[in-house]
Amino acid sequence: MMELRGLSKSYDGRSAIADLSLRVEDDEYLTLLGPSGSGKTTLLRLVAGLDLPEHGRISLNGQDITALPTYRRGLGFVQQNYALFPHMSVADNIAFGLRNRVESPVSDEQEVERRVAAMMDLVGLQGLGNRMVGQISGGQKQRVSLARTLITEPKVCLLDEPLGALDANLRERMTVELRNIRQSLGVTFFHVTGNESEALAMGDRMIVLDEGRAIQVAPPDEIFDRPATVRVAKFVNSYNILEGGVTDGVFVCGDLRLPVPDGGADTRYIAVRYDTPSFEAEGTDGAAGQAGLTATFLTSEFMGSRVVYFFRSEAGTVFEVERHLSRSDPETFTGGDRKRLGWPVSETLFFDGNGDRLVVTHARGAA
Amino acid sequence: MSLSETAGAKMADGGTEAPKQAFWVRNGHFLLLAPGVVWMILFLVIPLIMMVYVSFWTQTTFAIKSDLTTKSWVTFFASETYFGALLRTLRIWLTVLFFTLLIGYPTALFIGQFVRNKTVQTILLVACVIPFWTSFLIRVLAWRPMLGKEGAINIVLQKIGIISEPIEVLLFTELSVIIGMVQIYVVFMVGPIAFMLARIDESLIEAARDLGASAWTIFRKIIFPLSLPGVVVGAIFVSVMVLGEFATAAALSGRKVNLLGNIIVTQVGSLKWAFAAVVGVILTVVMAIVITTLLRVVNLRREL
């Protein structure tokens, strides 16, 4: 188990990590979602020992490793650009740590060969051992980089945007494989990414990092369903966010009026998930417990299993609606069509002026 | 449609004009080579052939005839003076190469790896070239008041009482030639090595460190192998210049140390063209062997 307590680090007076505390369990897949500039690279460098924090402690299984050099931390770091040694073959790259580490290097060449072969099998590089790293594809480089780190048996393996440089097809395959590799070794993966779908899909648990702070730590489904702050809702990229204020018990946003439940008096933001609204004819008045807005259809995007419709709402913002084709047939609109988009109030999220989610009670059975 | 496809289509038409036109479309770009090829043939290939040819001419005291003979070649290899000059040239070349590498590599390592600011890197490399702002002759001759019997080094050492008699071997010996050459040519070693070292991605070193390698292992297994192309390029620069040297040797040895270059100068001076050509051929062969060997050390095509 790795624990970060009160970590802070700033560069040139600008805070990159601010009072960050976090607990990383054994044998878990932890993803960290952070937009660029959120401090995720800094955090990784602190954990990996490539930089020293100004405040705070890092401990691994009870041992303080804050000031230990990288190689004595028992951590592995898979770099974003793979950082493969260009003058060595695939097998030599993978064997580098075993042969050359300061602590208990493996000098028995047969042992090295056996372990390299086993690792190459695990990550799917069979038969490529003699290739130079310039002769293999991006996906294979990714595997070499991973194998090179995993062969040293780290307790926690840090992955810096491991899928960032791969094309979409390969990315999806590696997603599954990374999880399988992790499970078969029982090692903890700490996967840092700026891609929300990657973070949601891969993690057993997920951290959302914003401006150097962990603003939510929870299983991905919880982060997706109940983002703790309006920023998290933005990062998961699945919510329409309306900004306004409550006057006389009604949320006002431009020309738009929306009902607010009990406890929502401080509402500043309302978040409506892309897949909650349903299409209703213009002029339909919402039943009790329903909210909605009238919007002008702009365009739609066919995504294979789903269709995304873009509308311009009364508030002037773009409003997205997503329809999964397994649940309903696509509807065709022409540009300029006016539609009423309705949704149950109980399916929306309310955030106050600080961006924190409000706990609201919905009047049940009012309808 | 590419050029060659156009050409192919015309050929298929079977017109009488078509094949001729197609030939120029396909091969016209070789014309770009013409000026270079003409130049190299006139001023490199023909002179080289002439040099080999002239080396077999018959040399008499006052004239040279085109009757073929191996007399000049026999003289070279039979003479203690001339064959000795070949060995001396090789010895001085190896010594200078060793010292330029010994002094140049750490300097390049500092500039390329420990100075992370590109501007500072450039400034430091330019600083290495500052001696070149004066003429070659001044740089060489400046060593005389430095190394001489009553030169700066001897005076200082005598003043602080380390020696009582001036050290005489400092000037007009092989040592002074080596000191002078190392100082002049070391920068040609620093430049290419620093360039290669600066290109090494910082993340490689971080990765190696993260995998548990010590600083010395990282240098041995990562940094040095990756800088090797720079070492080879630097060594080629230094070798080519040192092997053909004559001015430093003439100025700093008081004409006591004769290199192949000095022999060519004297022989040409006394109009012994055939003999000068022999030395020229030998020098060319030596350089060719040296460069080929150095290029074998690394596959430059792959590394650069």
Side-chain angles (χ1 to χ4, degrees):
Chain A
M1 183 190 76
M2 184 167 75
E3 221 178 342
L4 317 180
R5 278 195 311 271
L7 283 191
S8 298
K9 174 79 185 173
S10 57
Y11 292 106
D12 305 327
R14 278 188 55 247
S15 169
I17 290 289
D19 193 26
L20 184 134
S21 296
L22 182 67
R23 185 195 269 260
V24 182
E25 305 293 339
D26 290 334
D27 195 10
E28 74 165 338
Y29 203 126
L30 188 63
T31 51
L32 184 142
L33 171 66
S36 62
S38 61
K40 54 183 192 293
T41 308
T42 309
L43 178 60
L44 265 187
R45 293 180 66 86
L46 291 181
V47 175
L50 300 170
D51 265 329
L52 277 178
E54 278 142 16
H55 303 285
R57 302 264 122 221
I58 305 169
S59 61
L60 184 63
N61 296 335
Q63 187 202 1
D64 187 337
I65 60 165
T66 318
L68 277 189
T70 311
Y71 63 91
R72 290 183 53 202
R73 298 189 166 209
L75 298 174
F77 188 12
V78 179
Q79 305 205 33
Q80 190 173 3
N81 61 358
Y82 317 138
L84 300 182
F85 307 128
H87 57 299
M88 294 183 194
S89 68
V90 167
D92 286 341
N93 259 282
I94 297 175
F96 186 88
L98 287 186
R99 285 187 186 135
N100 296 311
R101 63 185 170 197
V102 175
E103 285 178 6
S104 58
V106 182
S107 51
D108 177 7
E109 268 307 304
Q110 276 183 333
E111 164 81 0
V112 171
E113 261 170 51
R114 192 184 56 74
R115 286 172 67 174
V116 167
M119 189 49 72
M120 286 184 20
D121 276 350
L122 180 72
V123 300
L125 284 170
Q126 296 91 332
L128 294 177
N130 291 325
R131 295 269 189 94
M132 294 302 284
V133 293
Q135 299 171 316
I136 57 176
S137 69
Q140 287 164 340
K141 282 183 188 162
Q142 169 66 65
R143 287 159 208 259
V144 175
S145 182
L146 186 67
R148 188 178 66 177
T149 300
L150 290 177
I151 203 166
T152 60
E153 296 174 341
K155 297 183 192 87
V156 177
C157 182
L158 311 169
L159 301 115
D160 188 5
E161 309 217 15
L163 309 178
L166 305 180
D167 57 49
N169 211 340
L170 210 54
R171 195 183 259 249
E172 262 163 48
R173 220 171 60 214
M174 276 309 281
T175 308
V176 182
E177 279 189 43
L178 274 178
R179 289 185 64 92
N180 289 343
I181 291 168
R182 193 206 69 76
Q183 248 161 14
S184 62
L185 292 174
V187 61
T188 293
F189 272 17
F190 187 38
H191 174 143
V192 171
T193 176
N195 179 316
E196 67 285 345
S197 47
E198 199 176 301
L200 288 166
M202 302 190 69
D204 299 326
R205 277 198 313 150
M206 179 173 161
I207 304 161
V208 182
L209 193 70
D210 184 37
E211 292 174 339
R213 291 165 201 277
I215 49 178
Q216 191 170 10
V217 183
D221 55 342
E222 193 181 320
I223 288 191
F224 187 76
D225 289 339
R226 294 187 295 282
T229 74
V230 71
R231 308 261 309 170
V232 178
K234 266 183 199 153
F235 295 157
V236 296
N237 199 19
S238 296
Y239 287 90
N240 294 297
I241 293 163
L242 302 163
E243 187 178 353
V246 176
T247 355
D248 301 332
V250 182
F251 180 81
V252 184
C253 167
D255 292 338
L256 182 64
R257 301 275 181 282
L258 293 173
V260 174
D262 292 348
D266 295 330
T267 303
R268 171 108 182 259
Y269 304 95
I270 290 185
V272 184
R273 222 164 82 184
Y274 294 163
D275 58 352
T276 41
S278 51
F279 302 122
E280 292 160 11
E282 199 192 347
T284 318
D285 252 345
Q290 282 286 112
L293 53 80
T294 312
T296 316
F297 176 72
L298 296 172
T299 183
S300 65
E301 222 172 77
F302 176 66
M303 314 281 281
S305 59
R306 62 204 161 91
V307 180
V308 182
Y309 302 90
F310 297 88
F311 291 88
R312 185 166 300 284
S313 71
E314 289 157 284
T317 52
V318 174
F319 202 88
E320 288 183 45
V321 179
E322 208 176 282
R323 274 283 152 277
H324 287 263
L325 299 184
S326 56
R327 303 177 75 181
S328 59
D329 285 334
E331 298 196 38
T332 14
F333 305 120
T334 45
D337 277 2
R338 295 189 49 86
K339 275 278 155 195
R340 187 176 158 80
L341 311 172
W343 61 83
V345 176
S346 59
E347 300 254 321
T348 39
L349 301 173
F350 301 85
F351 300 92
D352 67 13
N354 296 325
D356 294 328
R357 185 159 49 83
L358 294 164
V359 182
V360 293
T361 43
H362 297 284
R364 288 197 177 279
Chain B
M1 196 188 264
S2 76
L3 276 180
S4 58
E5 276 176 286
T6 323
K10 286 217 173 104
M11 294 257 274
D13 289 344
T16 45
E17 295 267 314
K20 200 176 173 188
Q21 218 175 354
F23 175 82
W24 282 112
V25 170
R26 254 181 299 142
N27 299 312
H29 56 274
F30 284 113
L31 275 176
L32 294 172
L33 281 176
V37 170
V38 169
W39 182 268
M40 292 304 259
I41 288 176
L42 278 180
F43 299 113
L44 185 75
V45 178
I46 295 178
L48 269 178
I49 294 168
M50 275 306 288
M51 182 170 73
V52 177
Y53 181 45
V54 169
S55 75
F56 290 100
W57 284 7
T58 308
Q59 177 87 56
T60 59
T61 318
F62 300 108
I64 184 164
K65 277 191 228 127
S66 58
D67 307 329
L68 295 185
T69 167
T70 56
K71 202 170 144 264
S72 303
W73 283 91
V74 173
T75 316
F76 181 90
F77 285 102
S79 154
E80 184 71 28
T81 325
Y82 299 136
F83 191 66
L86 171 63
L87 297 182
R88 189 177 306 112
T89 306
L90 293 176
R91 187 173 65 234
I92 289 184
W93 158 64
L94 281 175
T95 317
V96 171
L97 195 60
F98 173 77
F99 281 105
T100 48
L101 188 62
L102 190 73
I103 298 168
Y105 199 94
T107 314
L109 190 62
F110 177 81
I111 297 175
Q113 277 290 308
F114 293 93
V115 179
R116 275 291 152 206
N117 183 322
K118 290 281 170 203
T119 319
V120 181
Q121 264 182 10
T122 316
I123 291 172
L124 288 174
L125 278 175
V126 169
C128 291
V129 193
I130 284 178
F132 285 79
W133 295 357
T134 62
S135 90
F136 180 85
L137 202 62
I138 292 175
R139 262 177 294 141
V140 174
L141 290 179
W143 278 108
R144 285 201 188 172
M146 193 75 184
L147 299 171
K149 196 172 166 189
E150 289 169 15
I153 291 178
N154 273 324
I155 290 176
V156 169
L157 288 181
Q158 274 174 303
K159 276 268 158 66
I160 56 175
I162 291 182
I163 50 166
S164 50
E165 292 292 305
I167 309 170
E168 294 199 25
V169 292
L170 281 182
L171 189 58
F172 301 133
T173 55
E174 214 172 285
L175 177 68
S176 56
V177 175
I178 289 170
I179 292 176
M181 284 190 180
V182 169
Q183 185 257 322
I184 291 166
Y185 297 119
V186 71
V187 64
F188 293 100
M189 198 57 112
V190 175
I193 299 177
F195 174 74
M196 283 312 287
L197 285 169
R199 280 184 10 151
I200 298 177
D201 193 340
E202 177 71 15
S203 67
L204 293 186
I205 291 154
E206 277 179 0
R209 203 181 296 145
D210 182 58
L211 291 166
S214 66
W216 171 239
T217 310
I218 294 173
F219 175 76
R220 221 162 31 97
K221 294 285 178 78
I222 311 289
I223 295 176
F224 186 71
L226 288 176
S227 71
L228 215 48
V231 174
V232 169
V233 171
I236 289 175
F237 282 168
V238 172
S239 303
V240 168
M241 284 181 288
V242 170
L243 287 168
E245 251 279 23
F246 64 93
T248 313
L252 291 182
S253 77
R255 302 196 180 275
K256 274 189 282 182
V257 176
N258 278 318
L259 303 180
L260 290 181
N262 300 92
I263 292 176
I264 297 179
V265 174
T266 25
Q267 297 298 324
V268 169
S270 52
L271 300 177
K272 299 257 173 70
W273 290 101
F275 198 76
V278 170
V279 184
V281 172
I282 288 170
L283 199 51
T284 310
V285 170
V286 169
M287 282 193 196
I289 293 172
V290 167
I291 293 173
T292 322
T293 317
L294 283 172
L295 286 177
R296 282 281 165 88
V297 176
V298 283
N299 187 343
L300 276 187
R301 212 171 16 161
R302 206 188 68 211
E303 306 279 351
L304 281 179

